[in-house]
Amino acid sequence: MLTHLLISNYAVAERLEIDFQPGMTVITGETGAGKSILLDALALALGDRADSASIREGAERAEIHVEFDLTHQPEVRAWLAEQELDNGEAHCLLRRTLLRDGRSRAYLNGQPVPLTLLRDLGHQLIDIQGQHAHQRLLRREVQTALLDGYAMAQAEAEQVAAFCQRWRQLQTQLRAREEENAATLARRELLEFQHTELEAAQPLPGEYAQLEAEQRLLANAESILQLGHQALGALRGDDDGNLLQGLRRLRQLLADWLRQGGTLPILTELVEGAAIQLEEAATLLDRYLDELEVDEARLRAVDERLTTLHRLARKHQVPADELASLLASLDAQLQRLHSVEGETAQLQAELEQIAQGYQTAATALGDKRRQAAPRFAAAVTARLRRLSLPDARFELQLTDSTSDLPRPEGQQSVEFLIVTNPGMPPRPLGKVASGGELSRIGLAVQVTAATTVATPTLVFDEVDVGIGGGVAEVVGQALHELAEHGQLLCVTHQPQVAAQADHHLQVVKQVIDGRAATRLVELDREARTQEVARMLGGTQISARALEHARELVARGAQSSRAAES
């Protein structure tokens, strides 16, 4: 419930502060006094778009503070706790600051928050019906929302809309994926052909370099053998001129030399080392030549393999030693394409699941609508007759969709129909009702729908425009009925409505030091009578208007006592 509102430097209000009570509170005042300032400021505190032009002239900032009592709203306190914004108390404080440079800031329980969060909270705390709500009533989506509210099916409606939104998102993703698949079909076929060809050849990393070396060895095997044997003969051949024989002779000479007193023993060590290395070289060469053979069959196989690799390299326009890398790349690309196809299958499966969920939710929503529609129509019809439309009959037409495609509003289209004259068939509101009739029909629908609104505070902003006399008194009684179990604020120009209120606030505009300023006055019983008389007769209050006002206020008080009992 709304308990406190403070407005500072907003529009023509330098400072307005008021405590609110349960029950029905009316806000009245002369045209242009600033009654709308209260509701505009309240809407700003609940997340409406800000305009720096609304800051009072001469001030650098405007501030709106709003306090709500959450004693009887544990679900809102739980929501605040989920957002880590619960202050541990049974109230919450909203603050909105507007700066001259166009910026604005929002706070909830002292913590800065985004506007979207204020809006989410506002939907749980307050429901504002504007003075042009009866014009909005001609729109199908508004009619649907009103029926869903009366049927207490908002949760089902939100679920249906969410399923539909997700279904459409998946459809868009699926179409994009299918277009992508079609665009890459030719590429996938080419990749698969290239991959198959390379996979059959099975090029290995480093294979090309190894084959080149082996081909060079096999092609020159005879020359290598001939030259190797010549080298081996030079090392340790049968003739006396081989290297090892010469080293043995040299070793003998140096040994004799040392025995004769030669003083360079290092020479013997160097020769000994050379002899050992030449022996090892001869052994290695001998073993190598024994293992080397001229293998014509292997040479032909190597030549054929190199020819295959060269052919594939030219075909795929890569160096022959990169064929193995190309095969790995093609394999990775094909795996990605196959994963895309897998994603398409997953999207298809999720789409089917969402469609099933939508159908279940839409069926539940449709059931609630069909059950509530006759009750809603009967309640509105009863209110219309109290609003001096005795022959009016209100009906709801629910038409099932012929399409299987999910729709955000569900599987029915909702349309409000009205009969205003006997013997006439029901027709859509905009094609039958006159302006005055539409105002009364709109009010009857809004008041009926509001009986099931879960928000604890209802605000009606001049919804009684175009209504007067006894009808206005009935409207006031209907509004008072709504306020019996909660809180209702009503901006009105109708004295008959004002007289029904539990509390009365008057907005007064004054000029102080050449500047307009709005102030808010809470009226007692006598001041209420004066204000109702002004609303009846204008600025010059006659004795007759004053007497009529007393009668209206007394009648309103009597109605309130009767309702309480």
Side-chain angles (χ1 to χ4, degrees):
M1 183 184 74
L2 176 64
T3 57
H4 188 78
L5 174 64
L6 170 63
I7 302 171
S8 176
N9 292 322
Y10 181 72
V12 295
E14 183 174 7
R15 182 181 176 87
L16 286 179
E17 187 170 10
I18 188 69
D19 291 321
F20 292 95
Q21 305 297 326
M24 178 179 174
T25 300
V26 293
I27 302 168
T28 65
E30 295 184 359
T31 301
K35 297 186 295 298
S36 62
I37 290 175
L38 291 173
L39 301 189
D40 290 346
L42 188 59
L44 273 174
L46 296 171
D48 265 15
R49 183 175 296 179
D51 183 358
S52 60
S54 59
I55 300 175
R56 180 176 169 83
E57 188 66 32
E60 290 302 313
R61 61 195 291 161
E63 288 201 4
I64 298 103
H65 297 243
V66 182
E67 187 171 349
F68 287 89
D69 183 357
L70 306 180
T71 301
H72 303 294
Q73 288 184 277
E75 70 283 355
V76 177
R77 294 191 63 180
W79 181 85
L80 288 171
E82 289 177 5
Q83 311 300 320
E84 298 183 352
L85 292 168
D86 187 16
N87 58 7
E89 301 180 15
H91 71 273
C92 70
L93 179 64
L94 286 70
R95 180 163 67 93
R96 185 80 182 274
T97 301
L98 313 184
L99 303 177
R100 182 64 71 181
D101 60 8
R103 293 177 297 153
S104 75
R105 299 191 180 100
Y107 302 88
L108 177 52
N109 286 336
Q111 299 186 49
V113 294
L115 291 182
T116 52
L117 196 142
L118 281 188
R119 295 189 192 107
D120 290 343
L121 178 61
H123 292 155
Q124 302 177 67
L125 294 175
I126 196 164
D127 182 40
I128 300 177
Q129 298 284 340
Q131 57 182 299
H132 302 296
H134 64 279
Q135 294 292 340
R136 293 176 61 248
L137 193 63
L138 300 178
R139 291 159 47 189
R140 289 287 190 90
E141 65 271 20
V142 175
Q143 297 176 6
T144 302
L146 285 168
L147 174 59
D148 290 344
Y150 183 82
M152 302 186 72
Q154 296 96 329
E156 289 84 354
E158 291 175 1
Q159 190 177 31
V160 164
F163 272 125
C164 182
Q165 182 182 16
R166 181 57 182 160
W167 186 87
R168 290 179 175 178
Q169 290 174 346
L170 289 171
Q171 276 282 44
T172 300
Q173 294 176 24
L174 188 59
R175 280 196 297 268
R177 189 70 70 206
E178 288 173 346
E179 290 173 2
E180 181 181 347
N181 289 347
T184 58
L185 179 60
R187 172 163 175 74
R188 186 169 68 248
E189 290 176 349
L190 174 61
L191 290 177
E192 288 175 345
F193 174 79
Q194 293 175 332
H195 183 272
T196 300
E197 187 176 42
L198 284 177
E199 191 175 37
Q202 283 294 315
L204 301 174
E207 179 189 15
Y208 181 76
Q210 293 174 0
L211 288 172
E212 277 196 320
E214 186 179 1
Q215 194 267 352
R216 193 164 47 249
L217 174 64
L218 291 171
N220 298 304
E222 290 185 358
S223 298
I224 293 172
L225 281 170
Q226 183 180 359
L227 293 172
H229 283 297
Q230 290 177 4
L232 187 59
L235 283 170
R236 59 182 183 191
D238 295 334
D239 58 331
D240 293 337
N242 66 73
L243 291 175
L244 289 173
Q245 182 66 30
L247 279 175
R248 283 193 289 272
R249 179 176 174 77
L250 178 58
R251 288 164 65 191
Q252 184 63 45
L253 290 173
L254 288 175
D256 294 343
W257 182 55
L258 287 174
R259 282 194 298 270
Q260 296 297 325
T263 58
L264 284 175
I266 188 65
L267 288 176
T268 301
E269 293 177 9
L270 291 173
V271 172
E272 287 288 344
I276 293 171
Q277 290 184 15
L278 285 176
E279 283 285 358
E280 290 180 355
T283 301
L284 288 174
L285 181 57
D286 191 22
R287 186 181 304 131
Y288 178 82
L289 293 175
D290 285 342
E291 294 174 356
L292 182 62
E293 61 178 338
V294 178
D295 190 343
E296 295 293 338
R298 176 57 185 166
L299 178 58
R300 285 193 299 271
V302 170
D303 284 339
E304 290 174 2
R305 180 63 174 170
L306 285 172
T307 300
T308 298
L309 296 180
H310 281 297
R311 176 179 59 80
L312 291 173
R314 286 194 303 271
K315 187 172 184 178
H316 294 280
Q317 298 181 349
V318 295
D321 57 357
E322 294 182 11
L323 287 172
S325 298
L326 176 60
L327 178 59
S329 174
L330 292 174
D331 188 61
Q333 292 180 60
L334 284 171
Q335 286 183 8
R336 282 196 296 272
L337 290 177
H338 289 237
S339 69
V340 168
E341 293 176 353
E343 291 172 9
T344 302
Q346 290 177 359
L347 287 174
Q348 288 275 20
E350 186 179 356
L351 188 66
E352 292 176 4
Q353 184 179 7
I354 291 296
Q356 292 174 1
Y358 170 85
Q359 191 60 48
T360 301
T363 299
L365 176 60
D367 290 343
K368 278 198 169 185
R369 286 173 175 171
R370 278 186 286 271
Q371 292 170 9
R375 292 186 283 109
F376 188 49
V380 173
T381 298
R383 290 192 183 278
L384 287 174
R385 289 172 181 172
R386 293 174 60 190
L387 292 171
S388 297
L389 288 173
D391 298 320
R393 186 175 78 254
F394 182 81
E395 295 184 8
L396 285 90
Q397 180 174 287
L398 273 65
T399 305
D400 289 333
S401 172
T402 57
S403 172
D404 293 332
L405 298 179
R407 304 189 310 166
E409 66 275 16
Q411 294 292 55
Q412 300 85 30
S413 64
V414 178
E415 185 172 23
F416 289 176
L417 305 177
I418 191 73
V419 176
T420 55
N421 296 306
M424 300 297 292
R427 299 184 64 191
L429 297 185
K431 295 183 178 180
V432 177
S434 64
E437 289 175 333
L438 186 60
S439 294
R440 279 182 278 177
I441 294 168
L443 185 60
V445 171
Q446 292 168 51
V447 171
T448 302
T451 58
T452 57
V453 170
T455 50
T457 300
L458 302 173
V459 178
F460 287 84
D461 182 14
E462 298 188 21
V463 295
D464 49 13
V465 171
I467 297 171
V471 175
E473 187 170 359
V474 174
V475 169
Q477 293 170 356
L479 293 174
H480 192 274
E481 287 176 19
L482 285 177
E484 289 177 8
H485 304 289
Q487 182 183 49
L488 183 143
L489 309 181
C490 179
V491 176
T492 182
H493 286 289
Q494 299 293 340
Q496 295 89 346
V497 174
Q500 299 290 329
D502 300 307
H503 315 283
H504 194 143
L505 302 176
Q506 183 184 22
V507 180
V508 180
K509 183 188 287 186
Q510 297 176 318
V511 178
I512 302 175
D513 297 330
R515 296 179 65 188
T518 292
R519 64 188 183 92
L520 196 61
V521 181
E522 186 171 5
L523 304 182
D524 58 18
R525 177 68 176 266
E526 183 56 33
R528 282 186 66 191
T529 302
Q530 292 286 333
E531 173 63 1
V532 171
R534 180 198 66 77
M535 297 170 74
L536 284 167
T539 54
Q540 298 297 324
I541 301 176
S542 64
R544 184 175 179 180
L546 195 58
E547 183 61 28
H548 189 189
R550 287 196 180 96
E551 181 183 352
L552 285 176
V553 172
R555 214 156 52 218
Q558 184 178 3
S559 298
S560 297
R561 287 193 297 272
E564 291 173 1
S565 62

